[in-house]
């Protein structure tokens, strides 16, 4: 059975198109991406159905089933050419013409990169097929979108591991967090982070910067807007990095990775005030 999180993401994206008109185009695109990712997850699940659960001691990135993945990369590129904004659609078309050797290189380049390289930073928020220093390679962005359901399947089918402390990167795959989550706990709320690649969620400290390790309370702050009260911008005034967090104590129906996509005005506010995003999302914002 396909995990229900895919249907929740697709449904939430559709719901928010009417609530946040400014993000409607991006949300419709994401819903179509997620629909493809859901079908790819199902194919991966079927292809690996007889595989035993992997030991928690084995790094997730040690696994890469190219025999399973490569035949599915061409259909993925076809979908992206049909639904993506023009620059990414053109990049998908160009990569499609290069053939399987280039596809394998793009997949392996992303998957085996060091975590800080695989986690596409937002220092330059554009797709650049040449991939100069700091720019986001279009091949890498495409590989990220394609590999996300594969990584999520691997994370869903691993033994549960005990994690010491509160790591700033994903304890399963080393990816950076794409969004934070606040849930009720006692008289307050506990915080967790969600990985940009495998969607694994892990506990994290409330007052701590996942980018630079700052833990002095005066240097840490958060901001929100009344119109989007359940989403806040957690900022660090030491490294000037921010990460959005979704407060489920205020809106229990929120789906963190989707609500993060929808709240573009908070990203604009953060940028205008000199903060840069710890990790972009699949829309490149």
């Amino acid at each position: 059975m396909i995990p229900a999180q895919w249907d929740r993401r697709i449904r939430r994206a559709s719901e928010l198109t009417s609530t946040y008109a400014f993000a409607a185009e991006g949300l419709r695109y994401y819903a179509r991406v997620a629909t493809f990712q859901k079908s790819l997850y199902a194919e991966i699940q079927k292809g690996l159905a007889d595989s035993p659960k992997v030991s928690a001691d084995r790094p997730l990135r040690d696994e890469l089933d190219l025999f399973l993945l490569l035949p599915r990369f061409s259909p993925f590129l076809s979908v992206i050419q049909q639904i993506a904004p023009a620059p990414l659609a053109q990049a998908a078309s160009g990569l499609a013409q290069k053939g399987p050797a280039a596809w394998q290189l793009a997949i392996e380049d992303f998957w085996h990169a060091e975590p800080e390289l695989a986690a596409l930073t937002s220092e330059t928020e554009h797709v650049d097929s040449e991939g100069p220093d700091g720019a986001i390679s279009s091949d890498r962005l495409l590989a990220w979108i394609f590999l996300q359901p594969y990584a999520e399947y691997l994370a869903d089918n691993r033994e549960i591991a005990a994690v010491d402390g509160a790591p700033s990167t994903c304890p399963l795959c080393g990816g950076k967090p794409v969004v934070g989550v606040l849930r009720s706990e006692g008289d307050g709320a506990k915080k967790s982070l969600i990985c940009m690649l495998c969607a694994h969620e892990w506990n994290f400290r409330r007052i701590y910067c996942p980018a630079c390790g700052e833990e002095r309370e005066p240097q840490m702050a958060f901001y929100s807007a009344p119109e989007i009260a359940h989403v806040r911008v957690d900022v660090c005034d030491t490294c000037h990095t921010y990460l959005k967090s979704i407060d489920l104590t205020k809106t229990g129906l929120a789906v963190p990775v989707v609500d993060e996509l929808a709240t573009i005005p908070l990203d604009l506010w953060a940028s205008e005030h000199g903060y840069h995003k710890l990790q972009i999302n699949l829309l490149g914002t």
Side-chain angles (χ1 to χ4, degrees):
M1 180 180 294
I2 302 173
Q5 68 256 29
W6 294 103
D7 289 330
R8 288 196 298 269
R9 292 167 190 167
I10 296 165
R11 184 169 58 249
R12 182 64 172 170
S14 298
E15 292 170 355
L16 292 181
T17 55
S18 57
T19 306
Y20 301 128
F22 48 78
E25 183 177 354
L27 287 167
R28 282 192 286 267
Y29 164 64
Y30 171 75
R32 297 179 74 180
V33 166
T35 299
F36 174 84
Q37 289 181 320
K38 173 186 174 181
S39 66
L40 180 56
Y41 187 104
E43 291 180 33
I44 292 166
Q45 186 177 50
K46 182 178 180 180
L48 299 178
D50 297 328
S51 302
K53 282 202 171 187
V54 177
S55 168
D57 296 330
R58 183 181 179 185
L60 186 146
R61 286 178 189 260
D62 281 0
E63 301 174 62
L64 184 61
D65 192 335
L66 290 169
F67 182 80
L68 176 68
L69 293 170
L70 271 177
R72 293 165 171 81
F73 198 68
S74 180
F76 160 72
L77 292 175
S78 296
V79 170
I80 294 298
Q81 290 177 65
Q82 296 169 22
I83 69 173
L88 191 59
Q90 292 169 5
S93 176
L95 184 56
Q97 295 173 22
K98 294 179 181 178
W103 307 343
Q104 180 173 339
L105 180 63
I107 290 171
E108 291 181 330
D109 178 63
F110 178 85
W111 191 257
H112 294 307
E114 292 298 319
E116 62 267 20
L117 297 177
L120 309 175
T121 63
S122 60
E123 292 176 3
T124 52
E125 294 176 354
H126 67 278
V127 174
D128 192 311
S129 60
E130 297 300 319
D133 290 343
I136 299 170
S137 162
S138 56
D139 287 359
R140 180 166 285 185
L141 179 57
L142 289 166
W144 177 21
I145 297 170
F146 176 73
L147 287 168
Q148 197 275 312
Y150 175 66
E152 188 163 347
Y153 175 84
L154 296 181
D156 289 343
N157 289 273
R158 300 184 85 72
E159 295 176 352
I160 303 299
V163 178
D164 293 331
S168 295
T169 56
C170 177
L172 296 187
C173 75
K176 288 184 179 179
V178 71
V179 67
V181 185
L182 297 171
R183 289 187 173 84
S184 296
E185 183 178 58
D187 295 329
K190 67 176 182 178
K191 185 174 184 177
S192 58
L193 302 177
I194 295 178
C195 177
M196 51 77 73
L197 178 58
C198 71
H200 176 66
E201 184 174 340
W202 71 97
N203 292 332
F204 198 68
R205 293 164 58 181
R206 288 288 301 273
I207 309 298
Y208 192 82
C209 175
C212 72
E214 179 62 79
E215 55 186 343
R216 292 174 295 172
E217 192 165 348
Q219 294 298 105
M220 307 293 293
F222 68 87
Y223 302 91
S224 61
E227 302 83 359
I228 319 174
H230 73 293
V231 183
R232 71 185 210 182
V233 182
D234 295 328
V235 306
C236 173
D237 285 324
T238 298
C239 66
H240 301 287
T241 298
Y242 80 93
L243 179 73
K244 284 188 280 186
S245 291
I246 313 302
D247 191 342
L248 297 181
T249 68
K250 295 182 177 179
T251 303
L253 295 177
V255 177
V257 294
V258 181
D259 286 58
E260 196 283 331
L261 295 172
T263 49
I264 298 171
L266 297 179
D267 294 296
L268 297 175
W269 175 92
S271 179
E272 289 169 358
H273 287 78
Y275 299 105
H276 59 273
K277 202 168 191 180
L278 174 65
Q279 169 61 50
I280 65 166
N281 54 44
L282 288 179
L283 299 185
T285 59

